[in-house]
């Protein structure tokens, strides 16, 4: 099976690499030459355009930063060259209404479409342990499942086209708002002078427990590493997607609105390109508190 992969960023490159390593033929494009070369170094093919990646591919994956990027690339570069019967799978996190528009464009060309945004973190993508939330017709889901299994360990068929993207918006709303709450909690802990390890042990043993304190924070910001990962800029964008979608459906998201403004403060402070666990460092700076670190970090 020939695979086209458009978007070889921090998540896209390890996912494309896992496909290549597990026996699929991957042709990939990214604006960064180093990313194309990294794919070529393990036997894949790096090409100069999204159209070159999509041409003759059985399945074309897109993993791009925002709605406009996906719409532009699919409509302008992929659809004109896609082979009959090809499946286009968008793994980006974008506006669900734009997902619907793109699906309609793809269907109008007689091609197939699935949305399959990605859960978990970049370290999971490195290990081939992604989680996928898929919106697709049953037959299309069956066709792409072996590819998703090469990149991840958990695959949820959430419903028809568009259901995967809507599930990702719901997921990211909770995950990103929780990251901001963690930042404030640990800043307060630092101001109180409490022990970081003991605080994490207590919080993870009560109903306050959350995945960030167990997985992401200890290996990122609390270890002194705030390089992405998942950027605060992208987290801000994703919260915006949730708030826009909620507004259209007349669903109030007061906490989410506050969290987005907190992320905006972090961006204004120069943290936009940092990992979203770096919200802790941004908040400690605002509070005049030394950022907490685990021993030896």
């Amino acid at each position: 099976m020939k695979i086209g992969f458009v978007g070889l960023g921090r998540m896209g490159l390890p996912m494309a690499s896992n496909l290549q390593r597990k026996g699929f033929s991957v042709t990939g494009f990214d604006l960064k030459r180093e990313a194309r070369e990294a794919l070529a170094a393990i036997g894949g093919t790096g090409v100069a355009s999204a159209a070159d990646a999509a041409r003759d591919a059985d399945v074309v994956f897109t993993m791009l930063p925002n709605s406009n990027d996906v719409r532009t690339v699919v409509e302008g570069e992929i659809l004109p060259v896609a082979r009959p019967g090809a499946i286009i799978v968008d793994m980006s996190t974008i506006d669900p209404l734009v997902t619907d528009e793109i699906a309609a464009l793809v269907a109008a060309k007689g091609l197939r479409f699935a949305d399959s945004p990605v859960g978990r973190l970049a370290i999971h993508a490195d290990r081939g342990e992604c989680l996928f939330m898929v919106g697709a017709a049953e037959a299309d889901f069956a066709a792409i499942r072996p590819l998703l299994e090469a990149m991840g360990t958990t695959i949820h068929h959430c419903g028809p086209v568009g259901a995967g993207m809507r599930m990702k918006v719901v997921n990211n709303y909770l995950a990103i708002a929780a990251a901001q709450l963690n930042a404030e909690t640990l800043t307060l802990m630092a101001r109180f002078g409490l022990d970081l390890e003991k605080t994490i042990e207590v919080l993870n043993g009560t109903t306050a427990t959350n995945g960030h304190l167990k997985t992401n924070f200890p290996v990122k910001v609390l270890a002194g590493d705030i390089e992405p990962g998942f950027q605060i800029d992208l987290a801000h964008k994703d919260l915006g997607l949730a708030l826009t979608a909620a507004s259209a459906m007349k669903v109030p998201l007061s906490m989410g609105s506050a969290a987005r403004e907190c992320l905006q403060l972090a961006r204004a402070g120069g943290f936009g390109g940092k990992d979203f666990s770096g919200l802790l460092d941004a908040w400690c700076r605002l509070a005049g508190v030394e950022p907490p670190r685990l021993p030896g970090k």
Side-chain angles (χ1 to χ4, degrees):
M1 186 179 289
K2 294 181 179 179
I3 309 301
F5 208 108
V6 180
L8 303 173
R10 182 62 187 90
M11 294 289 287
L13 179 58
M15 290 194 294
S17 298
N18 279 316
L19 282 168
Q20 181 65 36
R21 291 191 185 100
K22 294 177 183 179
F24 299 98
S25 176
V26 181
T27 299
F29 168 72
D30 193 88
L31 293 174
K32 294 184 178 179
R33 176 176 52 82
E34 313 89 82
R36 302 193 300 265
E37 292 175 347
L39 179 62
I42 61 166
T45 303
V47 292
S49 72
D52 288 339
R55 189 175 286 108
D56 297 326
D58 299 296
V59 179
V60 182
F61 289 103
T62 52
M63 185 63 168
L64 299 167
N66 58 54
S67 301
N68 286 337
D69 288 337
V70 178
R71 184 194 288 112
T72 299
V73 168
V74 171
E75 185 174 13
E77 298 197 56
I78 295 175
L79 288 182
V81 302
R83 61 178 291 275
I87 306 176
I88 298 169
V89 184
D90 182 34
M91 297 194 293
S92 320
T93 300
I94 65 173
D95 184 338
L97 294 178
V98 176
T99 294
D100 296 344
E101 293 171 10
I102 293 170
L105 290 171
V106 173
K109 289 283 188 178
L111 303 174
R112 297 183 285 170
F113 180 81
D115 48 296
S116 181
V118 186
R120 298 181 180 157
L121 305 168
I123 56 172
H124 299 108
D126 292 337
R127 300 194 296 255
E129 298 173 355
C130 289
L131 177 150
F132 296 101
M133 296 159 254
V134 186
E138 290 284 353
D140 296 339
F141 175 68
I144 65 174
R145 181 162 192 150
L147 304 176
L148 300 178
E149 290 173 341
M151 298 181 282
T153 55
T154 307
I155 303 164
H156 296 286
H157 188 194
C158 299
V161 168
M165 199 62 65
R166 287 168 170 83
M167 186 68 76
K168 180 63 185 293
V169 168
V170 169
N171 177 84
N172 277 20
Y173 175 73
L174 182 58
I176 295 165
Q180 173 60 30
L181 187 58
N182 281 332
E184 295 180 20
T185 298
L186 295 182
T187 299
L188 181 62
M189 173 220 69
R191 175 65 79 190
F192 282 161
L194 297 173
D195 179 76
L196 174 59
E197 290 183 290
K198 180 55 67 176
T199 299
I200 292 175
E201 181 182 355
V202 169
L203 296 179
N204 284 337
T206 73
T207 55
T209 185
N210 63 72
H212 285 290
L213 284 183
K214 286 187 174 181
T215 56
N216 195 35
F217 273 49
V219 298
K220 294 298 290 182
V221 66
L222 296 179
D225 176 14
I226 59 171
E227 294 307 309
F230 180 55
Q231 293 181 2
I232 288 172
D233 281 338
L234 292 177
H236 182 268
K237 180 264 295 183
D238 285 359
L239 268 186
L241 292 176
L243 291 168
T244 298
S247 178
M249 302 295 289
K250 296 182 173 59
V251 177
L253 296 180
S254 301
M255 292 294 291
S257 297
R260 182 173 62 171
E261 291 309 304
C262 292
L263 267 66
Q264 186 74 313
L265 282 173
R267 297 172 79 213
F271 286 86
K274 302 303 182 183
D275 188 79
F276 74 145
S277 67
L279 287 167
L280 173 58
D281 284 10
W283 224 248
C284 284
R285 178 186 291 180
L286 286 170
V289 174
E290 187 69 22
R293 295 290 186 261
L294 290 168
K297 303 300 183 183

